[in-house]
Amino acid sequence: MSAHRRVVVIGGGAAGMMAAVFASEAGAGTELFEKNEKLGKKLYITGKGRCNFTNACPKEELLQNVSTNAKFLYSAFERFSNEDAVRFFEDGGLAVKTERGGRVFPASDRASDVTAVLARKLKQNGVKVHLERKVKKLLITNDPEKGPRAAGIELSDGTKVSADAVIAATGGLSYPSTGSDGDGYRFAEEAGIKVTPQYPSLVPMVTLEEDARQMQGLSLKNVSIRIQDGKKVLYEGFGEMMFTHFGVTGPLILTASSLIRKPWKHERLSMKIDLKPALTPEMLDARLLRDFGEASNRQLQNALGGLLPAKMIPVIIARSGIPPEKPVHDISREERRRLLELLKGLPFTLTGMRGFEEAIITNGGVSVRGIVPQTMESKDVRGLYFAGEVLDVDAQTGGFNLQIAWSTGCAAGIAAASAENEQ
């Protein structure tokens, strides 16, 4: 490792800041270029502004929560695990707390405190941070014997900055308001590096049925869903979801979206919601009979309050085809069976996913087949590294995508600063 190494990092998000911290700590003169007016713009909106920055699950469970190309991340997670991430931020002065599902947050509930730790480290390490400086292209030299090599960057105003190594940590396409516009994919393709198609991931889904919109704002806890493409089950899960003005969202739906690969084989998918997963059909029938016995003179629309949230009652009754004003004591066994079916499997038709504006993460990106997993260096262009969401790796909600950013950023930063990479 030697101080004469010059490393340029493109992108001041999670992966870019972490890469610059580790490159500078390893002794490289490091410069970071960010086109926004501040660092960590996407971090500020992560976890609804609270920044769920990693997950406290056992280390061996990290890979199980990666949806795409998990094996590629094995060595990066080994080198800088979730435990290392917590230690890194605590050492930087951040008080942390762990909530359900292992989600780790700043104790202050302020995303800005996570960015502040990284910004302080950059300053302490002497990293030159350039804000509002957009990179136009990579500078690549071609040695007849050794092949292409990253030699620096050119900014949008024509300024050229030379470097021994370049780390592209440009993010994906999700939340374009934070500056994610796919620059990194273009840089990669211009350098002859393979990029896989991009789709929104961890994103809400659109339903065909209008009655989903009738329930806008209704949150369901402890339900299970099953999503199928024809007969093929694509996803099953238990947890929380919510109805919106266009369809469905919430943790269950976001998770499903990252595991259901678009484009779908058929135009539409079917989803069934089990509103009472803890009860067998027989137990639920007994419960219905009991509730109906206690309210035998009431109309059906006034007898389901013990089982269902108020917003859902008219939807279930309309779907059952039973008149809402029918007295409970007149409800037939067949009508009760229809209600039971809906409670154990309320059907919806999924017609698509929302766009990148609402996606937490991008699925697709720089193909990991062309990247060395230990160092994040391109196999095709020496001295060019990729870190974070620009890579074709993505994970579930719960802090795992930021862990990918920290781990790949660390690997890229250390490798880019090492003189042994000179070939």
Short mmCIF file of all heavy atoms in Angstrom, two decimals, residues 77-104:
data_model
loop_
_atom_site.label_atom_id
_atom_site.label_comp_id
_atom_site.label_asym_id
_atom_site.label_seq_id
_atom_site.Cartn_x
_atom_site.Cartn_y
_atom_site.Cartn_z
N PHE A 77 -19.15 -10.30 2.32
CA PHE A 77 -19.79 -10.38 3.65
C PHE A 77 -18.82 -10.95 4.69
O PHE A 77 -18.88 -10.60 5.86
CB PHE A 77 -21.05 -11.26 3.58
CG PHE A 77 -22.26 -10.56 3.01
CD1 PHE A 77 -23.40 -11.30 2.66
CD2 PHE A 77 -22.30 -9.19 2.83
CE1 PHE A 77 -24.54 -10.67 2.15
CE2 PHE A 77 -23.42 -8.55 2.31
CZ PHE A 77 -24.54 -9.30 1.97
N GLU A 78 -17.94 -11.87 4.25
CA GLU A 78 -16.94 -12.42 5.18
C GLU A 78 -15.98 -11.33 5.64
O GLU A 78 -15.61 -11.26 6.81
CB GLU A 78 -16.14 -13.54 4.48
CG GLU A 78 -16.82 -14.88 4.50
CD GLU A 78 -16.90 -15.47 5.91
OE1 GLU A 78 -15.85 -15.75 6.51
OE2 GLU A 78 -18.03 -15.66 6.41
N ARG A 79 -15.58 -10.48 4.69
CA ARG A 79 -14.60 -9.45 5.01
C ARG A 79 -15.22 -8.34 5.86
O ARG A 79 -14.59 -7.80 6.76
CB ARG A 79 -14.07 -8.85 3.71
CG ARG A 79 -13.27 -7.58 3.92
CD ARG A 79 -12.63 -7.13 2.63
NE ARG A 79 -11.19 -7.27 2.73
CZ ARG A 79 -10.37 -7.26 1.69
NH1 ARG A 79 -10.85 -7.18 0.48
NH2 ARG A 79 -9.07 -7.36 1.86
N PHE A 80 -16.47 -7.95 5.54
CA PHE A 80 -17.12 -6.86 6.27
C PHE A 80 -18.58 -7.27 6.49
O PHE A 80 -19.43 -7.07 5.63
CB PHE A 80 -17.03 -5.55 5.47
CG PHE A 80 -17.41 -4.33 6.27
CD1 PHE A 80 -16.51 -3.73 7.14
CD2 PHE A 80 -18.69 -3.77 6.17
CE1 PHE A 80 -16.86 -2.59 7.87
CE2 PHE A 80 -19.05 -2.65 6.91
CZ PHE A 80 -18.13 -2.06 7.75
N SER A 81 -18.82 -7.87 7.66
CA SER A 81 -20.14 -8.44 7.94
C SER A 81 -21.08 -7.40 8.56
O SER A 81 -20.69 -6.25 8.78
CB SER A 81 -19.97 -9.60 8.93
OG SER A 81 -19.57 -9.08 10.20
N ASN A 82 -22.29 -7.84 8.88
CA ASN A 82 -23.23 -6.95 9.57
C ASN A 82 -22.70 -6.56 10.96
O ASN A 82 -22.90 -5.43 11.41
CB ASN A 82 -24.62 -7.60 9.68
CG ASN A 82 -24.59 -9.03 10.19
OD1 ASN A 82 -23.54 -9.65 10.30
ND2 ASN A 82 -25.75 -9.56 10.50
N GLU A 83 -21.99 -7.49 11.61
CA GLU A 83 -21.40 -7.16 12.92
C GLU A 83 -20.32 -6.08 12.75
O GLU A 83 -20.21 -5.17 13.57
CB GLU A 83 -20.77 -8.42 13.54
CG GLU A 83 -21.81 -9.45 13.98
CD GLU A 83 -21.19 -10.82 14.22
OE1 GLU A 83 -19.94 -10.93 14.27
OE2 GLU A 83 -21.97 -11.78 14.36
N ASP A 84 -19.54 -6.20 11.66
CA ASP A 84 -18.52 -5.18 11.38
C ASP A 84 -19.16 -3.83 11.11
O ASP A 84 -18.64 -2.79 11.52
CB ASP A 84 -17.68 -5.59 10.17
CG ASP A 84 -16.88 -6.86 10.42
OD1 ASP A 84 -16.37 -7.02 11.54
OD2 ASP A 84 -16.79 -7.69 9.50
N ALA A 85 -20.31 -3.85 10.41
CA ALA A 85 -21.00 -2.59 10.09
C ALA A 85 -21.47 -1.89 11.37
O ALA A 85 -21.28 -0.68 11.54
CB ALA A 85 -22.19 -2.85 9.16
N VAL A 86 -22.06 -2.67 12.28
CA VAL A 86 -22.52 -2.08 13.56
C VAL A 86 -21.33 -1.51 14.31
O VAL A 86 -21.37 -0.37 14.81
CB VAL A 86 -23.27 -3.14 14.41
CG1 VAL A 86 -23.52 -2.61 15.82
CG2 VAL A 86 -24.60 -3.52 13.75
N ARG A 87 -20.22 -2.28 14.35
CA ARG A 87 -19.02 -1.81 15.07
C ARG A 87 -18.47 -0.54 14.41
O ARG A 87 -18.08 0.41 15.10
CB ARG A 87 -17.96 -2.92 15.05
CG ARG A 87 -16.94 -2.82 16.17
CD ARG A 87 -16.03 -4.05 16.22
NE ARG A 87 -16.77 -5.29 16.36
CZ ARG A 87 -16.76 -6.27 15.47
NH1 ARG A 87 -16.06 -6.18 14.35
NH2 ARG A 87 -17.46 -7.37 15.67
N PHE A 88 -18.46 -0.52 13.09
CA PHE A 88 -17.94 0.65 12.35
C PHE A 88 -18.70 1.92 12.75
O PHE A 88 -18.10 2.95 13.04
CB PHE A 88 -18.09 0.38 10.84
CG PHE A 88 -17.72 1.55 9.96
CD1 PHE A 88 -16.44 1.70 9.46
CD2 PHE A 88 -18.68 2.50 9.59
CE1 PHE A 88 -16.10 2.77 8.64
CE2 PHE A 88 -18.36 3.59 8.78
CZ PHE A 88 -17.06 3.71 8.30
N PHE A 89 -20.04 1.83 12.76
CA PHE A 89 -20.83 3.02 13.07
C PHE A 89 -20.78 3.38 14.55
O PHE A 89 -20.73 4.56 14.91
CB PHE A 89 -22.27 2.87 12.56
CG PHE A 89 -22.36 3.03 11.07
CD1 PHE A 89 -22.47 1.93 10.23
CD2 PHE A 89 -22.29 4.30 10.49
CE1 PHE A 89 -22.52 2.08 8.84
CE2 PHE A 89 -22.33 4.47 9.11
CZ PHE A 89 -22.45 3.35 8.29
N GLU A 90 -20.73 2.36 15.41
CA GLU A 90 -20.60 2.65 16.85
C GLU A 90 -19.26 3.31 17.15
O GLU A 90 -19.19 4.27 17.91
CB GLU A 90 -20.77 1.36 17.67
CG GLU A 90 -22.22 0.91 17.74
CD GLU A 90 -22.42 -0.32 18.62
OE1 GLU A 90 -21.49 -1.17 18.69
OE2 GLU A 90 -23.50 -0.46 19.20
N ASP A 91 -18.19 2.80 16.53
CA ASP A 91 -16.86 3.41 16.71
C ASP A 91 -16.85 4.85 16.21
O ASP A 91 -16.09 5.68 16.68
CB ASP A 91 -15.78 2.60 15.97
CG ASP A 91 -15.51 1.26 16.62
OD1 ASP A 91 -16.02 1.04 17.74
OD2 ASP A 91 -14.83 0.41 16.00
N GLY A 92 -17.72 5.12 15.21
CA GLY A 92 -17.81 6.48 14.67
C GLY A 92 -18.71 7.39 15.49
O GLY A 92 -18.99 8.52 15.09
N GLY A 93 -19.20 6.88 16.63
CA GLY A 93 -19.98 7.71 17.55
C GLY A 93 -21.49 7.58 17.42
O GLY A 93 -22.24 8.36 18.00
N LEU A 94 -21.95 6.58 16.65
CA LEU A 94 -23.40 6.42 16.47
C LEU A 94 -23.96 5.44 17.50
O LEU A 94 -23.49 4.32 17.62
CB LEU A 94 -23.68 5.86 15.06
CG LEU A 94 -25.16 5.76 14.65
CD1 LEU A 94 -25.74 7.15 14.38
CD2 LEU A 94 -25.33 4.88 13.42
N ALA A 95 -24.96 5.89 18.25
CA ALA A 95 -25.68 4.98 19.14
C ALA A 95 -26.72 4.24 18.30
O ALA A 95 -27.41 4.87 17.50
CB ALA A 95 -26.36 5.76 20.26
N VAL A 96 -26.80 2.91 18.46
CA VAL A 96 -27.70 2.13 17.61
C VAL A 96 -28.71 1.36 18.45
O VAL A 96 -28.52 1.16 19.65
CB VAL A 96 -26.92 1.16 16.69
CG1 VAL A 96 -25.85 1.88 15.92
CG2 VAL A 96 -26.34 0.00 17.48
N LYS A 97 -29.78 0.92 17.79
CA LYS A 97 -30.79 0.07 18.45
C LYS A 97 -31.28 -0.96 17.45
O LYS A 97 -31.27 -0.73 16.23
CB LYS A 97 -31.95 0.93 18.96
CG LYS A 97 -32.69 1.67 17.87
CD LYS A 97 -33.86 2.45 18.41
CE LYS A 97 -34.53 3.25 17.29
NZ LYS A 97 -35.65 4.07 17.75
N THR A 98 -31.72 -2.10 17.97
CA THR A 98 -32.24 -3.17 17.11
C THR A 98 -33.72 -3.35 17.38
O THR A 98 -34.15 -3.43 18.53
CB THR A 98 -31.49 -4.49 17.39
OG1 THR A 98 -30.09 -4.24 17.22
CG2 THR A 98 -31.92 -5.57 16.42
N GLU A 99 -34.50 -3.37 16.29
CA GLU A 99 -35.95 -3.53 16.40
C GLU A 99 -36.35 -4.90 15.84
O GLU A 99 -35.49 -5.69 15.45
CB GLU A 99 -36.65 -2.39 15.66
CG GLU A 99 -36.37 -1.04 16.31
CD GLU A 99 -37.16 0.11 15.71
OE1 GLU A 99 -38.00 -0.12 14.82
OE2 GLU A 99 -36.92 1.26 16.14
N ARG A 100 -37.65 -5.16 15.80
CA ARG A 100 -38.11 -6.49 15.40
C ARG A 100 -37.61 -6.84 14.00
O ARG A 100 -37.41 -5.98 13.16
CB ARG A 100 -39.64 -6.59 15.47
CG ARG A 100 -40.35 -5.71 14.51
CD ARG A 100 -41.85 -5.79 14.55
NE ARG A 100 -42.36 -4.81 13.60
CZ ARG A 100 -42.36 -4.98 12.29
NH1 ARG A 100 -41.89 -6.08 11.77
NH2 ARG A 100 -42.83 -4.05 11.49
N GLY A 101 -37.41 -8.14 13.82
CA GLY A 101 -36.87 -8.61 12.54
C GLY A 101 -35.39 -8.31 12.40
O GLY A 101 -34.83 -8.41 11.32
N GLY A 102 -34.73 -7.92 13.51
CA GLY A 102 -33.29 -7.66 13.47
C GLY A 102 -32.88 -6.35 12.84
O GLY A 102 -31.70 -6.10 12.61
N ARG A 103 -33.86 -5.49 12.54
CA ARG A 103 -33.53 -4.23 11.86
C ARG A 103 -32.73 -3.31 12.78
O ARG A 103 -33.18 -3.02 13.89
CB ARG A 103 -34.82 -3.51 11.42
CG ARG A 103 -35.55 -4.22 10.30
CD ARG A 103 -36.96 -3.64 10.12
NE ARG A 103 -37.50 -3.88 8.80
CZ ARG A 103 -38.05 -5.02 8.40
NH1 ARG A 103 -38.13 -6.03 9.25
NH2 ARG A 103 -38.50 -5.16 7.18
N VAL A 104 -31.60 -2.84 12.31
CA VAL A 104 -30.73 -1.97 13.11
C VAL A 104 -30.87 -0.52 12.63
O VAL A 104 -30.74 -0.23 11.44
CB VAL A 104 -29.25 -2.40 13.04
CG1 VAL A 104 -28.40 -1.56 13.97
CG2 VAL A 104 -29.11 -3.89 13.39
#
